[in-house]
Amino acid sequence: MSHRDSAGPVEFTAYAFNEDRVKSETAPFTFEAPANPTTTTPRAYLIGMGVSVSENAKWNLKFAANDARLTVEELSRSLPQYEVVPVLLTSETGNAPLTATRENLRTVLQLLSGHDVSEENKAKLLNADQLQKVTPDDLVLIAFSGHGYTDLRGILHLLPYDVGAGQEDFDKVLHRCISSGDTPHLYFPRYRR
């Protein structure tokens, strides 16, 4: 966003088209832009989620956690214009904490959107103290390495660590997955349209 000499509203609108080229309703949003905001270095929040170990051992992978780690490292080096804040959510063998959960991703997104989060949930994250409400100049990238599943409606579901043990049918664990069909209130309780 460019700097302005005077404060005032800036109107944003968004819409989408489905596969039949039918346009959705237009969603307006008004942002009260400040006059000449203070200049700070923009931040790049790089969220890498890699699920090598699952509660259901049938879905374990060998390299997913390392893929997420390497993706965040490579992106960190390629964004010199940003102050990079890496966030790794992984599940892997060894003594590393199992952080690749739906709840932990939700906590990250809530912190980045400026919502209040319990200290208990923050304590589960590395770099939680560096996660601040994003500004229009910041960048948020999410990289996922693990199993995914697209249901019959075309909704993508990503399988976190905590999908439950013993269940081998994707359709029966979808309620535990991270879904492209999730409504914002699942991640942001005070979300209003």
Side-chain angles (χ1 to χ4, degrees), residues 43-49 68 71-72 74-79 81-82 84-89 105 108-109 112 131 134 138-144:
R43 289 179 150 210
Y45 296 97
L46 306 179
I47 304 160
M49 189 171 197
T71 298
V72 167
E74 280 300 312
L75 287 170
S76 295
R77 286 193 285 273
S78 66
L79 298 168
Q81 68 274 35
Y82 290 94
V84 174
V85 179
V87 180
L88 276 174
L89 303 174
L105 179 60
V108 170
L109 295 175
L112 294 178
L131 300 177
V134 295
D138 293 335
L139 173 67
V140 177
L141 291 174
I142 301 174
F144 180 83

Side-chain angles (χ1 to χ4, degrees), residues 31-52:
F31 173 73
E32 288 297 327
N36 294 320
T38 57
T39 303
T40 59
T41 302
R43 289 179 150 210
Y45 296 97
L46 306 179
I47 304 160
M49 189 171 197
V51 185
S52 288

Side-chain angles (χ1 to χ4, degrees), residues 10-172:
V10 176
E11 182 75 25
F12 292 94
T13 56
Y15 55 87
F17 290 92
N18 69 14
E19 63 186 27
D20 295 324
R21 303 178 114 197
V22 176
K23 181 182 170 288
S24 69
E25 291 184 27
T26 300
F29 176 77
T30 302
F31 173 73
E32 288 297 327
N36 294 320
T38 57
T39 303
T40 59
T41 302
R43 289 179 150 210
Y45 296 97
L46 306 179
I47 304 160
M49 189 171 197
V51 185
S52 288
V53 174
S54 173
E55 284 182 333
N56 184 338
K58 179 183 178 190
W59 293 330
N60 285 356
L61 296 167
K62 290 186 179 183
F63 306 110
N66 200 43
D67 285 348
R69 188 176 294 104
L70 290 172
T71 298
V72 167
E73 288 173 9
E74 280 300 312
L75 287 170
S76 295
R77 286 193 285 273
S78 66
L79 298 168
Q81 68 274 35
Y82 290 94
E83 176 187 343
V84 174
V85 179
V87 180
L88 276 174
L89 303 174
T90 60
S91 64
E92 52 194 317
T93 56
N95 296 327
L98 302 170
T99 58
T101 66
R102 181 181 184 190
E103 185 65 31
N104 285 345
L105 179 60
R106 178 182 182 204
T107 299
V108 170
L109 295 175
Q110 287 177 326
L111 288 168
L112 294 178
S113 66
H115 288 82
D116 294 328
V117 172
S118 73
E119 291 301 318
E120 178 184 351
N121 284 353
K122 282 185 194 176
K124 296 175 187 176
L125 301 175
L126 184 65
N127 294 338
D129 58 323
Q130 295 181 45
L131 300 177
Q132 302 170 5
K133 184 176 181 180
V134 295
T135 70
D137 295 324
D138 293 335
L139 173 67
V140 177
L141 291 174
I142 301 174
F144 180 83
S145 184
H147 286 292
Y149 173 77
T150 303
D151 67 21
L152 295 174
R153 298 173 296 157
I155 295 174
L156 173 65
H157 304 272
L158 303 177
L159 279 70
Y161 160 76
D162 53 340
V163 292
Q167 186 54 254
E168 296 184 9
D169 184 353
F170 279 120
D171 288 319
K172 294 188 176 163

